[in-house]
Amino acid sequence: MNFVYQTLAINILCNVFTFIFSCVVLYTNVFKNRRIQKQAYKPDILWQRLPLILFNLVALTLLTAVGLYLGQGFFVKENPSVLTFVMQLGLILICDDFYFYWYHRLLHQNKYLLAKIHSIHHRASTPFPMEYIYVHPLEWLGGYVGPFIAILLLQEVNVYVFWTYLIFRNLHEADIHSDIRSIVFTKLPLIAPTEHHDLHHSRPYGNYSSTFNIWDKVFKTEMKTDAPKS
């Protein structure tokens, strides 16, 4: 049971960090010179978004708690070898992002899903970090599948690998929704920087990848910075 509490604590701490990061982005000039877009944020935008964000976070936390409790048999808590750590983390990230690419692309290409579900997230044409979870509840529920495909394939996942995935995924989501030019993620090969996803929010038909940018290159959906606004 400690694994469940520890995992939830990590997730909560990541979102507390993201909330603080959002406040710094919105209400200070710390990152002013690193902004990607020129539009000013509405003064009360965080508080307008907060009810749906909090609802999603509470629902996500409860669902995660139930899922982890029922699926504890898939997780082992021991010091993994470097090879095990790299292979498991790589598989989870790849499965998650490959699934997300096609799921996200479907949300754009299906007119009904775009109008009724995904359009909520795209109210954030100039996003701030916490807007990674400003989505229709059915959207994050559908997007939650990717890592569990990898877990089912592996049958046994090291908890330290899963925690690393969770921290990386949360912080990367906060970063790519920050509208702040990437500092860390531009140094990591194949990892999509903020600029990649920020362009998707300002011109929302392409750049469907999240963690990696390779899928957009492979499947010819990568946008250039001079792409016309839709």
Side-chain angles (χ1 to χ4, degrees):
M1 194 64 175
N2 284 341
F3 162 66
V4 177
Y5 292 139
Q6 290 166 332
T7 306
L8 292 178
I10 289 170
N11 194 49
I12 290 168
L13 287 172
C14 285
N15 281 290
V16 168
F17 169 82
T18 302
F19 178 77
I20 294 170
F21 185 21
S22 296
C23 290
V24 172
V25 169
L26 290 170
Y27 303 120
T28 77
N29 291 321
V30 172
F31 297 110
K32 182 179 179 180
N33 294 331
R34 296 196 65 84
R35 286 280 311 277
I36 296 171
Q37 299 189 45
K38 302 302 182 184
Q39 299 96 314
Y41 293 109
K42 295 179 181 178
D44 58 347
I45 191 66
L46 176 59
W47 313 113
Q48 289 179 4
R49 303 289 200 237
L50 205 55
L52 180 56
I53 288 171
L54 289 177
F55 175 84
N56 284 334
L57 287 176
V58 170
L60 181 60
T61 300
L62 292 174
L63 182 63
T64 301
V66 172
L68 291 174
Y69 178 75
L70 295 176
Q72 286 184 85
F74 287 100
F75 297 94
V76 294
K77 192 172 185 180
E78 58 186 31
N79 292 325
S81 67
V82 174
L83 182 60
T84 297
F85 187 91
V86 171
M87 287 181 63
Q88 289 190 359
L89 181 61
L91 181 64
I92 294 173
L93 287 171
I94 290 170
C95 282
D96 181 23
D97 203 50
F98 186 72
Y99 168 83
F100 179 83
Y101 171 85
W102 289 106
Y103 174 66
H104 189 194
R105 186 169 172 173
L106 175 65
L107 289 174
H108 279 271
Q109 295 182 340
N110 182 289
K111 292 181 179 180
Y112 180 83
L113 294 177
L114 179 61
K116 300 298 183 181
I117 294 179
H118 194 50
S119 61
I120 291 176
H121 184 60
H122 273 280
R123 292 172 188 169
S125 57
T126 307
F128 61 87
M130 210 72 203
E131 282 185 310
Y132 89 92
I133 196 65
Y134 182 72
V135 297
H136 191 292
L138 291 178
E139 179 172 340
W140 66 253
L141 189 62
Y144 210 45
V145 174
F148 294 100
I149 294 174
I151 291 170
L152 289 173
L153 289 173
L154 288 166
Q155 289 294 299
E156 188 176 271
V157 178
N158 189 278
V159 296
Y160 297 110
V161 171
F162 187 70
W163 289 340
T164 301
Y165 158 78
L166 192 63
I167 293 168
F168 174 85
R169 195 75 168 86
N170 271 281
L171 296 184
H172 185 254
E173 282 294 305
D175 184 71
I176 63 175
H177 287 89
S178 68
D179 192 48
I180 305 300
R181 297 188 185 280
S182 287
I183 300 172
V184 175
F185 293 110
T186 53
K187 311 297 183 184
L188 301 177
L190 300 181
I191 301 298
T194 306
E195 291 84 345
H196 180 269
H197 194 69
D198 195 276
L199 187 60
H200 171 79
H201 273 269
S202 63
R203 298 165 175 82
Y205 293 97
N207 285 17
Y208 300 119
S209 303
S210 178
T211 302
F212 304 106
N213 52 24
I214 189 171
W215 312 122
D216 287 297
K217 297 178 186 295
V218 170
F219 298 112
K220 311 299 183 185
T221 52
E222 185 178 36
M223 285 190 292
K224 304 300 182 183
T225 54
D226 59 350
K229 291 188 176 182
S230 300

